[in-house]
Amino acid sequence: MYDRLLNLASSALTEKEFRQEPSNFWNEPYDRASIWKPCADRKPSTSRGRHDQSNGYILVSANGGLNQQRVAICNAVAVASLLNATLVLPRFLYSNVWKDPSQFGDIYQETYFMDIMKDEIDIVKELPPDLKSVEIEAVGSLITDSDIVKEAKPVDYIRIVLPILLKNRVVHFLGFGNRLGFDPLPFELQRLRCKCNFHALKFVPKIQQVGSLLVRRIRKYDAANSMLDKQLFGKFMPSLSYKEHEVAKGPSKYLALHLRFEVDMVAYSLCEFGGGGTERKELQTYREIHFPLLIERLKNSKPVSPTELRKLGRCPLTPEEAALVLAGLGFKRGTYIYLAGSHVYGGKSRMQSFTSLYPNLVTKESLLTHTELAPFRNFSSQLAALDFIACASADVFAMTDSGSQLSSLVSGYRTYYGEGHAPSLRPNKKRLAQILSDNSTIEWNSFEDRVKKMIEEGQRIRVRGFGRSIYRQPRCPECMCKSQ
């Protein structure tokens, strides 16, 4: 699709090898990024107050993968506070998609979580004996995602859930995917969400230790003791002994890329990616097997052409497009790039254009030995936690789909703890589609200018807007404090 542009990019990268100027995108472009400081764990000046007696117990069985479950945990904390309820340590539903039996304590430090939140809400590991025998569905205490609308408001929980809680002393949220909106919400509930996400959820030592090893294998240098790294690694801060430091060869910095080009994402998008009839047939078969509801919906709606979908910015970025963006931003051919995520649709052949421009591409599978990865195999959420660490700790984090949960949570974490020195790159897919529509005629200098302006626009320092995710955009009074 982009042979001409890829050739221009290759020539431009070759020329850059003979120049000394680095890409400006290794750094945050705005000094104002550093005036926002973490403070969701501060003692509130006004508190909602904790009552002597709880209204009952909240059970949560969260669906999805690691990042969806993380959001569900923190939303559950806010709902427990809203309803003056005791939260039972959340459980994770087994998914036929993720195929991971991991529970809370396999990923996060249970005692640490409970200790950090103890002054805000009561959290217990299990129901008291007198409630364990209650048939929750039979008594009407099972709350599914069909009972609570997406992005529900506090009044919905007061109206629907509180009467059940007061009557039965227990409610069980099953699924709990995106079931609490971001606005309007009381200040203290927003602060609790931030405190939960940025302070209370620490990965277990097993994940921290291997995450530290992973980052050390990429950077191969004595990592700076940044606030970001301290939060991610705890006592396993990456470091090298003097002898190791003498012989270590490798980059002093790296870029992490979350390339959302897995088969499920590609198939669901309904876009086309240059593979012709074979690709169309393969993706349609995948949709029929894995997305039957999508197929039914398509039967009753007006079709939108793949070309129109691309113009609207609804198509996942291909590996070729991601490489062109990085080249347009001035990242040199020798840049070390950590690739996060699952298997790229099309495999090595699809990545060939990318690796021809950026050969220093690494993954957790290439950096860790079989033995080091063994404890995480068959546990997709634990593997995703390693990707979270490698992306959050990177000198630059680049995403191809800013709507994905991993990209949202990682970029928010970097904003919160990055001290203004943790840039994230967000392409605007609609604008990029406009730029790439001229791929047969556009000159490289013009392509560079337009891509740089697109990314710079996404890096502007903005306070969280109404309805925006507090996990992705924590620059707001509920989460962060603005220094003078």
Side-chain angles (χ1 to χ4, degrees):
M1 295 170 71
Y2 304 112
D3 285 349
R4 176 181 170 274
L5 262 184
L6 289 165
N7 286 331
L8 291 176
S10 182
S11 298
L13 290 180
T14 300
E15 286 182 24
K16 280 184 170 61
E17 292 304 308
F18 300 100
R19 302 178 195 163
Q20 291 302 311
E21 71 266 18
S23 169
N24 292 330
F25 290 90
W26 284 108
N27 303 305
E28 284 273 11
Y30 300 104
D31 292 338
R32 287 176 53 237
S34 62
I35 68 176
W36 289 90
K37 309 293 183 184
C39 65
D41 60 339
R42 67 194 182 281
K43 295 290 184 184
S45 55
T46 58
S47 174
R48 290 177 55 81
R50 289 181 56 181
H51 301 277
D52 293 335
Q53 181 134 6
S54 166
N55 285 331
Y57 293 83
I58 288 179
L59 296 166
V60 173
S61 295
N63 59 13
L66 173 79
N67 301 294
Q68 292 88 342
Q69 290 163 351
R70 187 181 184 106
V71 169
I73 293 166
C74 296
N75 287 348
V77 164
V79 169
S81 177
L82 172 69
L83 301 180
N84 185 37
T86 299
L87 178 65
V88 179
L89 209 62
R91 293 191 60 78
F92 302 150
L93 291 173
Y94 181 84
S95 163
N96 288 327
V97 175
W98 300 101
K99 294 182 170 62
D100 186 348
S102 296
Q103 289 302 322
F104 191 105
D106 299 311
I107 299 171
Y108 302 110
Q109 299 177 34
E110 291 182 352
T111 303
Y112 185 88
F113 173 73
M114 296 169 74
D115 187 57
I116 291 295
M117 301 306 301
K118 69 183 179 183
D119 293 331
E120 313 280 1
I121 62 168
D122 289 322
I123 303 175
V124 296
K125 291 191 175 183
E126 56 186 24
L127 285 173
D130 62 312
L131 289 178
K132 283 184 179 179
S133 59
V134 172
E135 293 188 19
I136 288 178
E137 187 171 7
V139 300
S141 282
L142 185 66
I143 311 291
T144 69
D145 283 357
S146 62
D147 299 311
I148 296 286
V149 297
K150 274 191 175 182
E151 309 294 332
K153 296 178 174 62
V155 66
D156 297 316
Y157 285 91
I158 300 294
R159 179 174 56 86
I160 298 170
V161 180
L162 184 58
I164 301 172
L165 182 67
L166 292 172
K167 177 184 176 183
N168 298 330
R169 292 181 55 223
V170 60
V171 293
H172 182 185
F173 291 104
L174 186 65
F176 206 56
N178 297 323
R179 283 315 185 267
L180 181 63
F182 289 102
D183 294 291
L185 206 70
F187 184 100
E188 274 303 298
L189 294 187
Q190 295 284 36
R191 186 187 66 81
L192 281 186
R193 280 171 145 176
C194 288
K195 184 174 180 178
C196 170
N197 183 51
F198 297 114
H199 293 273
L201 291 177
K202 292 278 189 268
F203 292 124
V204 293
K206 178 182 81 169
I207 293 174
Q208 287 182 325
Q209 186 173 20
V210 176
S212 174
L213 179 63
L214 184 60
V215 170
R216 194 165 74 233
R217 295 264 171 88
I218 308 171
R219 276 203 187 105
K220 299 177 183 173
Y221 88 116
D222 197 1
N225 291 328
S226 69
M227 188 191 308
L228 190 57
D229 284 350
K230 286 175 182 175
Q231 294 299 323
L232 290 167
F233 304 119
K235 66 179 181 180
F236 299 103
M237 285 289 291
S239 62
L240 293 175
S241 68
Y242 177 76
K243 286 185 178 180
E244 285 177 312
H245 192 75
E246 285 293 296
V247 299
K249 293 181 179 179
S252 60
K253 53 191 177 183
Y254 73 96
L255 178 149
L257 172 66
H258 186 213
L259 184 61
R260 286 291 277 119
F261 202 69
E262 296 92 350
V263 64
D264 60 333
M265 183 82 169
V266 169
Y268 198 85
S269 72
L270 303 174
C271 299
E272 292 184 357
F273 302 93
T278 301
E279 177 192 276
R280 283 193 291 272
K281 184 178 179 181
E282 184 176 82
L283 294 179
Q284 179 62 17
T285 300
Y286 187 93
R287 282 190 283 268
E288 290 171 356
I289 295 171
H290 297 279
F291 302 128
L293 293 179
L294 173 64
I295 296 296
E296 285 301 310
R297 195 168 76 238
L298 290 173
K299 290 178 182 176
N300 302 311
S301 60
K302 184 180 178 181
V304 181
S305 71
T307 301
E308 188 63 24
L309 288 171
R310 190 168 295 280
K311 286 181 181 178
L312 293 169
R314 295 182 186 174
C315 297
L317 263 63
T318 66
E320 301 95 312
E321 290 167 341
L324 286 170
V325 169
L326 295 180
L329 296 177
F331 289 101
K332 293 189 175 183
R333 192 186 298 274
T335 302
Y336 269 71
I337 298 175
Y338 177 86
L339 181 64
S342 304
H343 300 291
V344 170
Y345 175 63
K348 286 186 178 180
S349 62
R350 189 77 213 213
M351 290 297 296
Q352 190 171 352
S353 296
F354 191 103
T355 52
S356 67
L357 293 182
Y358 293 102
N360 292 327
L361 187 71
V362 296
T363 64
K364 54 186 175 295
E365 290 81 9
S366 67
L367 290 166
L368 299 172
T369 68
H370 181 83
T371 302
E372 289 163 347
L373 269 177
F376 302 93
R377 293 195 187 279
N378 302 319
F379 298 101
S380 61
S381 290
Q382 295 181 44
L383 288 169
L386 296 178
D387 276 339
F388 184 102
I389 287 174
C391 289
S393 182
D395 298 272
V396 175
F397 173 55
M399 62 196 86
T400 59
D401 179 18
S402 60
S404 83
Q405 286 282 23
L406 175 67
S407 293
S408 293
L409 289 171
V410 166
S411 60
Y413 205 88
R414 289 167 62 82
T415 295
Y416 193 79
Y417 283 119
E419 301 175 281
H421 304 292
S424 295
L425 312 179
R426 297 182 182 86
N428 180 313
K429 290 192 290 184
K430 188 173 181 179
R431 283 181 63 179
L432 183 60
Q434 292 172 347
I435 298 169
L436 290 171
S437 67
D438 298 329
N439 75 84
S440 60
T441 57
I442 193 171
E443 294 302 323
W444 184 252
N445 286 345
S446 176
F447 178 81
E448 281 186 318
D449 289 342
R450 292 172 70 181
V451 166
K452 286 174 181 176
K453 286 177 182 176
M454 173 188 70
I455 295 296
E456 285 167 353
E457 176 63 26
Q459 289 185 307
R460 293 188 182 279
I461 308 303
R462 296 181 175 92
V463 176
R464 184 184 74 91
F466 186 89
R468 298 291 184 176
S469 168
I470 211 154
Y471 306 117
R472 174 181 168 180
Q473 298 180 4
R475 287 192 188 104
C476 59
E478 300 94 329
C479 290
M480 303 184 76
C481 297
K482 192 175 178 182
S483 60
Q484 298 301 320

